[in-house]
Amino acid sequence: MGSPIVLGIESSCDETGAGLVRDGRLLGQALASSMDEHARFGGVVPEIASRAHLQALRPVIRRALDEAGLRLSDIGAVAVTTGPGLSGALQVGLAGAKGVAYALGVPLYGVHHLAGHVAADTLEHGPLPDPCVVLIVSGGHTSLLLVRDLVRDPIVHLGDTLDDAAGECFDKVARVFGLPYPGGPAVDRVARTGDPRAVAFPRPLTGPRDDPYAFSFSGLKTAAARWAEGHAGRELPVADGAASLQEAVADVLTRKAVAACAEYGVGTLVVVGGVAANSRVRSLAEERCRAAGIELRVPPLRLCTDNGAMIAAVGDLLVRSGAEPAPLDVSIDPSAPLEYAALTPLTAVAGAA
């Protein structure tokens, strides 16, 4: 008999996800997004997100089970995002996960959201090479990591963003350009008809004296805003601006990631997170990895953005590694640093913080 079927629940931001994984294989998943409700505010409103999770959680779990042809009683373990993320949103997911786990009498595992993004790739390409370099790029996070055994070893940070993450830069500049929220997909669409060489946007932290693996996109965001302001009273060439912005972001991300692979003697680069869905980030990563003789792994688009399958994937790895389940008083940590894939903050600790 194989490993137990793991239900994964994700509710860290504006998407409610449920996924079912066993032995590294995705059996079924479902997703509900409250993005349209946030769009008129130009960003995620925490209270709206929490209410949306409350309404969506049970139907999403049911749809994932139906897709997999399973019943609730078939679940052998539950994994849930316990951080980082919006506090109220995380609480909804954890409460639901505890209810399912306790009702079924199965173990519960707390999972770090970013480790979920890393594990998402295993559902498409199999186990991660040991070691590999992982580039996480999303709305709130940009990190370059050295990963060995994802659920047994500590995750080594080679570099992180010092201010705005790449996805945050896209969102903020898109608003200045008059593009809809979320900004990343909007910039990607408009950039297809633009000239990526039209605007000489800066490449932050790429000088010889800069930290080689740190990221900073605040200055790029400001440069794009100043460029747009310079067209006051004239039609803004949005396509050229979007293409040039996208090129600058992709250039910095892939340049640093490939350099890290070379320095650490790693033959595989894994690019994950919502911005991994960006067409130019993907194509430039492919081009540079091919030239450097590095294997590139990027999950399919449906596994790049937040989803429950990625959390189930971490839970499945934890179960198969023999990891201890979370204690009964496991809580959330909305600002948890990424150190290990398992994340089990306690209620008492969270209350004292």
Side-chain angles (χ1 to χ4, degrees):
M1 185 175 177
S3 302
I5 295 169
V6 179
L7 166 68
I9 294 174
E10 157 62 23
S11 69
S12 65
C13 192
D14 60 344
E15 279 142 343
T16 313
L20 296 152
V21 172
R22 178 165 62 184
D23 290 327
R25 189 166 67 92
L26 178 58
L27 306 177
Q29 70 165 327
L31 192 69
S33 175
S34 58
M35 189 178 297
D36 290 345
E37 298 173 57
H38 303 285
R40 62 194 177 105
F41 299 102
V44 176
V45 180
E47 293 82 0
I48 292 175
S50 298
R51 287 197 295 269
H53 289 308
L54 278 169
Q55 296 169 354
L57 187 57
R58 287 182 64 181
V60 161
I61 293 173
R62 173 50 55 195
R63 292 208 319 268
L65 287 167
D66 289 345
E67 182 180 286
L70 298 170
R71 297 170 298 178
L72 194 65
S73 58
D74 293 322
I75 294 169
V78 179
V80 61
T81 302
T82 46
L86 302 174
S87 178
L90 290 167
Q91 292 283 16
V92 173
L94 179 58
K98 283 183 175 181
V100 173
Y102 298 162
L104 296 177
V106 300
L108 175 70
Y109 296 86
V111 170
H112 196 289
H113 174 79
L114 297 181
H117 278 301
V118 179
D121 183 72
T122 68
L123 298 175
E124 181 72 14
H125 300 119
L128 293 170
D130 178 4
C132 61
V133 168
V134 178
L135 175 64
I136 298 180
V137 274
S138 67
H141 305 275
T142 303
S143 295
L144 200 52
L145 312 170
L146 184 64
V147 176
R148 295 192 179 277
D149 187 311
L150 180 61
V151 297
R152 289 187 174 94
D153 296 329
I155 295 167
V156 178
H157 287 246
L158 304 179
D160 297 284
T161 187
L162 304 178
D163 41 55
D164 290 358
E168 188 177 1
C169 176
F170 279 140
D171 284 340
K172 290 180 177 178
V173 175
R175 192 167 187 174
V176 173
F177 285 2
L179 298 175
Y181 176 85
V187 168
D188 201 355
R189 284 194 302 272
V190 173
R192 292 171 191 165
T193 59
D195 179 0
R197 297 174 298 278
V199 188
F201 285 137
R203 271 48 171 174
L205 292 186
T206 55
R209 296 184 180 180
D210 292 318
D211 184 327
Y213 305 126
F215 298 95
S216 169
F217 293 102
S218 179
L220 176 59
K221 171 198 69 180
T222 302
R226 295 290 177 268
W227 173 79
E229 289 170 4
H231 287 77
R234 296 176 290 150
E235 182 178 353
L236 183 68
V238 175
D240 286 347
S244 299
L245 174 75
Q246 184 170 265
E247 188 69 21
V249 172
D251 181 20
V252 172
L253 291 173
T254 57
R255 188 190 308 190
K256 288 175 178 274
V258 170
C261 291
E263 179 175 342
Y264 288 89
V266 174
T268 302
L269 172 64
V270 184
V271 183
V272 298
V275 179
N278 179 272
S279 62
R280 184 54 181 155
V281 170
R282 294 169 83 96
S283 64
L284 191 55
E286 289 172 4
E287 178 184 318
R288 288 180 166 168
C289 283
R290 190 182 310 113
I294 297 167
E295 178 192 8
L296 175 66
R297 293 176 37 156
V298 187
L301 298 182
R302 64 191 174 89
L303 294 177
C304 285
T305 53
D306 294 350
N307 61 84
M310 70 186 199
I311 304 305
V314 179
D316 175 60
L317 290 171
L318 289 168
V319 168
R320 289 190 282 145
S321 73
E324 285 292 317
L328 297 180
D329 58 348
V330 62
S331 185
I332 62 164
D333 185 350
S335 57
L338 177 57
E339 298 171 341
Y340 291 90
L343 179 62
T344 56
L346 304 181
T347 304
V349 174

